[in-house]
């Protein structure tokens, strides 16, 4: 496999992992990380809170406009082997941002990527899918079908 393909695969794996971790609860991530023998790591950027501007488009394709601001927490972690991970999450949960950053660094590590996917990401993905199915079922139960009856000709 050439270097470009390998890099693209790693980026896709990171993106998929971040999508799952962003929707998971901090205590779920922490509980699953305890099962791993974590390598030595240090905080490059301690968790901090800030604001980001949310932008929207009228009709999805119109001119962009500023919708408002949202709070975001971010952190950065470096493993002893040199991999650097970044974590961002909506809200003011600095610990979750740090855990996401640690997982991002572990995804990049050859030694820990497989274990992280198997023991943390895959189970969290499964939990997320179950929750989404439950919400979809609850939403579908409240669906109301409106129809119009046509009387006569006209």
């Amino acid at each position: 496999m050439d270097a470009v393909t390998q890099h693209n695969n790693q980026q896709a794996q990171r993106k998929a992992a971040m999508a799952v971790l962003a929707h998971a609860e901090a205590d779920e991530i922490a509980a699953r990380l305890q099962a791993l023998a974590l390598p030595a790591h240090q905080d490059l950027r301690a968790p901090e809170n800030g604001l980001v501007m949310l932008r929207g488009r009228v009709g999805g394709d119109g001119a962009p406009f500023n919708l408002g601001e949202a709070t975001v927490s971010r952190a950065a972690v470096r493993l002893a082997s040199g991999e650097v991970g970044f974590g961002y999450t909506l809200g003011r949960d600095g610990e979750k941002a740090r855990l996401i950053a640690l997982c991002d660094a572990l995804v990049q590590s050859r030694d820990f990527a497989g274990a992280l996917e198997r023991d943390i990401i895959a189970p969290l993905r499964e939990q997320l899918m179950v929750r989404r199915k439950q919400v979809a079922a609850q939403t579908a139960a409240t669906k109301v079908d409106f129809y119009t009856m046509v009387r006569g000709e006209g």
Side-chain angles (χ1 to χ4, degrees):
M1 183 179 328
D2 67 342
V4 173
T5 304
Q6 185 177 5
H7 176 74
N8 289 342
N9 288 342
Q10 184 184 40
Q11 292 303 316
Q13 186 178 16
R14 286 178 71 191
K15 183 177 179 180
M18 295 303 105
V20 171
L21 293 167
H23 292 289
E25 297 294 327
D27 56 344
E28 293 173 341
I29 300 169
R32 295 194 181 279
L33 276 173
Q34 288 178 348
L36 278 179
L38 295 176
H41 58 279
Q42 67 179 14
D43 289 347
L44 287 179
R45 171 175 284 150
E48 58 188 11
N49 300 320
L51 295 171
V52 294
M53 180 60 66
L54 301 177
R55 301 202 45 148
R57 291 182 181 268
V58 176
D61 60 355
F65 64 94
N66 292 338
L67 183 64
E69 294 176 331
T71 56
V72 175
S73 296
R74 69 178 180 176
V77 172
R78 179 177 25 222
L79 300 181
S81 55
E83 293 85 358
V84 176
F86 301 94
Y88 291 84
T89 185
L90 283 173
R92 299 179 55 117
D93 192 348
E95 181 60 18
K96 181 177 176 183
R98 193 184 69 72
L99 293 171
I100 290 173
L102 178 58
C103 289
D104 184 37
L106 292 171
V107 164
Q108 298 172 63
S109 170
R110 291 181 188 194
D111 298 334
F112 291 94
L116 184 80
E117 175 63 34
R118 181 186 64 247
D119 298 338
I120 297 170
I121 304 299
L124 289 175
R125 184 180 296 118
E126 186 64 32
Q127 283 180 349
L128 179 62
M129 298 312 276
V130 168
R131 277 190 288 218
R132 286 183 177 172
K133 286 180 183 179
Q134 288 173 343
V135 169
Q138 290 171 347
T139 303
T142 64
K143 181 179 178 185
V144 177
D145 288 322
F146 293 97
Y147 61 93
T148 304
M149 290 181 49
V150 178
R151 292 188 186 180
E153 297 180 73

